[in-house]
Amino acid sequence: MPLISPSILTGNFLSLGKDIEMLNSSSCDWIHLDIMDGNYVPNLTFGFPVIQQIKSIAKKPLDVHLMIVEPDRYLERFRDSGADILTVHYEACLHLNRTVNAIRDLGMKPAVSLNPHTPVSVLDEILPELYMVLLMTVNPGFGAQKFIDSSYDKIRKLKRMITENNLNTLIEIDGGVSLENIKSLNHAGVDVFVIGNTIFAADEPVKMIERLGEEISDK
Ligand code: DX5
Ligand code: ZN
């Protein structure tokens, strides 16, 4: 810990294979895949065929972030496509306890994501069931957005909830992470960093991943 999970959303989809090989050769820990349905968020990305092909060459766990409504319909298909960690949005699940347990029963690590406006207190009951909580630090749907500064307090609140309940739940954040804010976010309690534009807009993404790693501990 802490871990780096590059998001390929702002990568070059015309050379997706090369991007995955680049991540395989880098010091990153996971690969973050953003699945958008044009309904839960105002954007569309990709689905099962692309995930399967990524899985066929990826040497790192797939950290699959579902920005879709009614995710229960597709849990098994995400497992079959190669998801290792599966994140559903709190705001998209009517029966979250059932969904989280179904994800675990399918052999994936269950995580729940909160939009910036959703308070961490909604996780009171479900927290002990979770492998990880993903706090959105931008409004979901697009890469390369500005970090929402009020997220620091939210991260600290969640960290306190986890510590006070003697849990090992990981805290992942997503959106607007950069070389400038990664260290202070690590100190606030973040365990896993999703990073898109900072890596894929860099001249040398592999070097950028290394530098980000150096900023956040004795990595
Ligand atoms: C946004 C996605 C993020 C996004 C992060 O809805 O969930 O994963 O790609 O990208 P950056 O780091 O560019 O904000
Ligand atoms: Zn994401």
Side-chain angles (χ1 to χ4, degrees):
M1 294 298 164
L3 305 179
I4 292 181
S5 187
S7 160
I8 63 166
L9 185 63
T10 47
N12 178 0
F13 282 84
L14 293 178
S15 59
L16 183 54
K18 266 207 215 121
D19 279 354
I20 301 300
E21 296 295 1
M22 180 274 288
L23 295 177
N24 283 341
S25 69
S26 79
S27 59
C28 76
D29 303 281
W30 299 346
I31 298 175
H32 185 84
L33 305 184
D34 292 302
I35 314 304
M36 302 180 186
D37 65 355
N39 192 343
Y40 181 75
V41 287
N43 200 358
L44 281 167
T45 55
F46 51 87
F48 306 115
V50 176
I51 300 171
Q52 277 158 9
Q53 291 174 32
I54 291 172
K55 185 69 177 181
S56 69
I57 60 168
K59 293 198 173 74
K60 314 220 167 162
L62 297 188
D63 171 25
V64 178
H65 178 193
L66 301 185
M67 287 159 276
I68 69 172
V69 297
E70 298 175 55
D72 296 285
R73 297 169 296 163
Y74 301 115
L75 301 179
E76 205 163 335
R77 291 188 66 186
F78 281 110
R79 191 272 315 273
D80 296 344
S81 302
D84 297 290
I85 302 116
L86 194 66
T87 302
V88 296
H89 266 263
Y90 167 84
E91 304 86 356
C93 297
L94 279 181
H95 306 290
L96 188 57
N97 184 287
R98 181 185 291 142
T99 306
V100 164
N101 285 297
I103 293 171
R104 185 180 297 102
D105 294 348
L106 285 164
M108 295 173 282
K109 292 182 172 145
V112 169
S113 182
L114 301 182
N115 283 342
H117 72 278
T118 306
V120 292
S121 55
V122 300
L123 298 173
D124 277 351
E125 300 304 324
I126 197 75
L127 197 56
E129 311 282 337
L130 302 180
Y131 169 72
M132 181 171 77
V133 174
L134 168 53
L135 295 181
M136 291 306 302
T137 45
V138 296
N139 287 296
F142 305 93
Q145 298 182 81
K146 189 176 170 310
F147 184 87
I148 297 174
D149 287 332
S150 60
S151 308
Y152 280 93
D153 281 346
K154 196 173 178 178
I155 293 161
R156 291 188 195 102
K157 262 190 210 149
L158 178 58
K159 190 71 185 174
R160 264 198 308 279
M161 272 172 80
I162 291 167
T163 315
E164 281 164 7
N165 290 287
N166 296 315
L167 298 169
N168 298 317
T169 321
L170 300 181
I171 299 178
E172 182 178 49
I173 64 162
D174 188 2
V177 176
S178 66
L179 270 177
E180 288 68 42
N181 60 20
I182 194 167
K183 199 185 214 43
S184 56
L185 289 164
N186 183 214
H187 291 155
V190 176
D191 302 301
V192 187
F193 293 90
V194 176
I195 308 168
N197 196 53
T198 295
I199 290 171
F200 285 96
D203 294 339
E204 298 182 80
V206 170
K207 276 227 173 82
M208 177 53 78
I209 293 170
E210 248 164 61
R211 287 184 63 197
L212 290 158
E214 283 153 17
E215 286 291 311
I216 55 174
S217 83
D218 55 6
K219 206 168 197 184

